[in-house]
Amino acid sequence: MVNTGRDIFVLFKVTISIVLYFLLYQSVYGVEQVKNPQQLTLGKIDRLNELSRNNVYVDNLRALKLANEALELSLVHEYLDGQAFAFRNMSAVYSSQFSFVESIEYIKKALDIFEASGNLDGIANCNISLGHTFGRLGLDSVAFEYHKLAYDYFEKQENRERKAVTSHNLGQVLFLLKKNDEAIKHFFQSLEVSEEIGDYQLTSSSLSYLGEIAFQSQDYSSAENYFKQSKELFSKLSSESQKYATLSAFYHLGMIDKVNGDLSGMLSNLLIADEIISENKLYYFFEEVYEELISFYKESGDLAKEEYYVSKYNGILKNYSKKNINDKSKMFLDLIKARELEKIYADNIKANEVKNKLIEANGKVISILVITMMILTVFITIIIIQYFKNKRNLESIKFIYDNAGIALVLLDDQGGVVKWNKFSDELFDEPSEKVLGKNFFREFVSKGNEASLMDLEREGFKEFTIFTKDHLNKEVSLSCSHSYINSKSFYILFILDWTEFKRVQRANDFYRTILERSNNIAKIGTWEVTYSNGLEEKMPKISQKVLDILEIGEFNSKQLNDIHWEIFFKSRDSIKRLIAAFQYAINHNKSFDLELEMSTFLGKEIDMRLIGNVEFLGKDQYKFYGTMQDITEIKNGIKLIEDNLKREQELNKLKSRFISMASHEFRVPLSIINSSVELIQMKMLKLGILAEESTYKHTSSIINQVMRLDHTLDGILLLEKTTHGKMATTFEKVDLKKLIDEIIDSVGIDGDLRVPKLNLEDKARFIVSDERLLHHVFQNIVSNSLKYSKGQKEPEIYVRKADDQIIVEIIDYGIGIPDSDKSNLFESFYRASNSIGVKGTGLGLSIVKEFTELIGASVSIESKEGEGTKVFVILPDFDKTIN
């Protein structure tokens, strides 16, 4: 007991020092206040983030642009929640593109902000994103844990849209885990809420998944009911909605019809699915749809339809590949912009650098803090006892109690709050006067963590989760001390806030898990070996992943040391190269990166990449450590690509030689046929046989067909030359009026008296270009305008000047082009599905495309089936440089 003024003074000094230490700790870790921007601007940022979230799985590029715009505004107005939701949306976009490094990077930024500000909605939304990311990595069980966290949180909130979404997501991952009974429960829950709030996209998707579960269970009646409900929602989905669910509905309804023997119904549903794919550019279920269509027409003997859908299927695959490349390029540009915005973000958080460094040091000082807490517990207990024992020290002890750097709570023996200090006010965000008499554990401690005061006193520090007034969860350690004052029992709680430390600890665990899983996917392990003048015989220290790569089974450490690791090198040359790399690293104090041919313990040959660094241990003693990666599959993949490229080059050479030879071999007999037929006609004229006789008509037909075949050969040769860069260009001044008039005079169709009408501005008459290539381009387009508009109004040609361009527009009022054919118009030998009965080779527009690119021009087509077609050729105007 302390009874003298000197003892109290010493105790006061010690306690004040500890209090100051904790006050300093809190000042470093205090959360900065964020300026509150104007409400209108914040609303705009929130709307941009919501639009970005809605477009993540519909239009990646638009979603990323909206997120970038939201991030930029949030940085300007220092709106932390806006920044966090923008980062979360960026993470979702990159996750959907399987760019997991960028995705994880952005979700970490979002989580840092949400956790710092205590935004539980934001944290739960990040859990949704993490669930999707791990799902795409194929880690469905991990994905389930994150979706479950989000579901558990939003189930207790008022946000019904998020309730429906998280329930749907949980059902989806349970479906993938083959837990269909639980999945059905969650899909029905999502369906009920989404129908109430009018979310047609979520309703459609839930119905589609219920249909798939019933379909897999061969309950075709229920499956048909679900899919029919899903497809009826298709017309209600907005342009920003995902339409994969209704596409799935049409496909599965077709499969149910197939199972029931209704081939007509199957074909009807598959054709609707084909229209949806073409109109909405969907690449989900398209392989299954076209495989079924091709199979159907093949079995029914309709070769034309089979060929059409094979061609369309190949075209979609090609466009899908091009779209992915274009999207990746555009996303890379948006990523660059996001990186620039991140620099601004980094500048905004420089003020927290001291805080971050102290967080990193938490692991080192934690033992000191615990000891300090124990000492403080003893001192505060003595002080509080003295408070009731010695009236003379009342003011001094009250000051220390109120200003202590930790939360102190005085409880009665039933757990009711008697008093707490100022630090407790800050921790619980509520003054002591408002909680007097309330049971501490029932009011502030999470369920399932209840403990008796006697147990708490006996166990020392114990971890709990507490709830503050503003419903924030905080993780704390509690210690309890029991005292009697005037024969009445009291308990003193000492509360240390570990929230920040736990957050950092979870982040470290999370990134360690990500790193381990990434290394496992990439087949990367670690190694460590000591080195002097040569390789030691005993095995180096290697991780479990390296043991797996080298196919080393279950060995204890002694058995591993008995294995000479030189047996894993394919040849002495590999060992010499490794020693040379070691020596280079020692001499230059640099790391090395080396690829070696090695063998596993079971004799399988593998390619291994070793990355290592050197550390000096002593005289002629060094330690090397680094990573080992099995790159066998990568090397095999590169070799396969090289082999395929070489084979393709050989095939192209063979194709060129064949086309050249075939053209020559065809032209000789064609010339002979043409000459012979002309001689026959001359002979017939000498003999006085009239032109109207059938023999003369047949010979004229032969000449026309020979000319047509000769024209086709010309087209093939021109296309071949252009493709291989053999087509030379000669630029000169060209009179477009004269050129187009000549083409109008030369083209024509038997029995068709129409003449295309030319409207040409005087200032657009002359241009610098290659006249020969222009002639081919316009002759093909004008000829097509007549061929495909027979019996309609004559085609029209407009030539006008706009800025530094000459625009040539050729319009016809013919049969037009179906939407499903437009994407393939410029492919070689491709003809629209409604062109049957009109002569053509399918080469004309592909030649037009190649020639316009050669002369720096461009060509585009606008068309509507049954109404006509417009072809635009835009030529660069170089006339200013020519006199």
Side-chain angles (χ1 to χ4, degrees), residues 45 195 272 500 592 604 609 617 670 750 775 864 868:
I45 294 170
E195 285 179 337
I272 295 173
E500 186 66 15
F592 65 87
K604 185 175 76 176
R609 182 185 182 189
L617 298 178
L670 286 174
D750 291 341
H775 189 280
K864 191 168 184 181

Side-chain angles (χ1 to χ4, degrees), residues 354-394:
V354 174
K355 173 183 171 181
N356 293 334
K357 289 178 181 177
L358 286 173
I359 291 173
E360 292 174 4
N362 263 343
K364 297 178 181 178
V365 303
I366 193 64
S367 58
I368 298 173
L369 289 176
V370 171
I371 294 170
T372 304
M373 277 296 301
M374 296 293 288
I375 295 170
L376 189 61
T377 300
V378 174
F379 279 126
I380 297 298
T381 302
I382 294 171
I383 290 168
I384 292 176
I385 292 171
Q386 285 301 110
Y387 171 81
F388 292 100
K389 292 282 187 177
N390 195 339
K391 297 292 184 180
R392 291 173 301 170
N393 299 318
L394 179 62

